[in-house]
Amino acid sequence: MAVRIWGAAPAPGPGMRPKNELLLDMPLYHCIVPVPPHQPMPGVPGLPMLLARRLGILWKIPVETPLYVVRGTQAQKELDRAGRMQNARKAYACRTDADLGGKRVLLVDDIITTGATVSACALALLKAGAVDVTAAAIAADEELPKEKRTSTENEK
């Protein structure tokens, strides 16, 4: 992620910091915000939080958690595109004590399929005062229109 998002050179080895000599003292983002889980398990961080923490360590950027789920929502993976868009709409907000004024935020999720979740989270962050939100994920899944799917995809 550091190489793609930051433009850094790959790390020389596993667990090592990516090389970014040109931007050492100038962070591209003021903070990293993980997408909150729909159904949090006490004491168990979700994958977005684990990714955010690792990126925060590598880049020496604070991880903040201003986002929360406003209402109980269904897991996005169980829904089609229209359902995902409706499910995510107005499902996220920022805590009132969140200080995002003038900040550039890196929003981290595990998978982006339709973009509904990161769009809803980005909107909440912008409403809370962030000036720029960039979303990143470790995986993306393009949802093909029905007419372009193969027969095995249609059977799912």
Side-chain angles (χ1 to χ4, degrees):
M1 284 180 107
V3 174
R4 290 288 186 197
I5 300 167
W6 193 286
M16 300 177 77
R17 184 182 171 99
K19 297 178 185 178
N20 61 335
E21 289 84 6
L22 297 175
L23 302 171
L24 278 179
D25 296 319
M26 186 180 78
L28 186 57
Y29 305 103
H30 292 103
C31 63
I32 301 170
V33 174
V35 170
H38 289 283
Q39 297 173 341
M41 295 190 316
V44 180
L47 186 54
M49 174 59 88
L50 295 174
L51 294 167
R53 286 179 182 165
R54 183 64 180 149
L55 289 172
I57 290 168
L58 288 172
W59 293 341
K60 299 180 182 171
I61 298 173
V63 174
E64 297 184 15
T65 55
L67 289 170
Y68 66 94
V69 178
V70 173
R71 57 181 172 75
T73 56
Q74 193 173 351
Q76 292 286 75
K77 65 183 176 183
E78 299 170 1
L79 303 171
D80 62 9
R81 180 177 184 76
R84 288 172 188 237
M85 300 306 271
Q86 182 63 31
N87 192 48
R89 191 173 290 125
K90 299 180 184 179
Y92 299 92
C94 283
R95 293 187 328 270
T96 55
D97 64 343
D99 180 22
L100 296 174
K103 291 186 178 179
R104 291 182 314 273
V105 176
L106 176 62
L107 177 64
V108 177
D109 202 358
D110 51 357
I111 300 170
I112 296 176
T113 305
T114 62
T117 298
V118 292
S119 293
C121 288
L123 182 60
L125 293 167
L126 291 168
K127 284 182 179 179
V131 294
D132 182 65
V133 178
T134 300
I138 57 169
D141 182 23
E142 183 179 354
E143 188 177 75
L144 293 173
K146 285 185 178 181
E147 65 273 4
K148 295 193 178 192
R149 294 181 191 167
T150 63
S151 61
T152 56
E153 289 174 327
N154 286 323
E155 293 170 6
K156 290 182 183 178

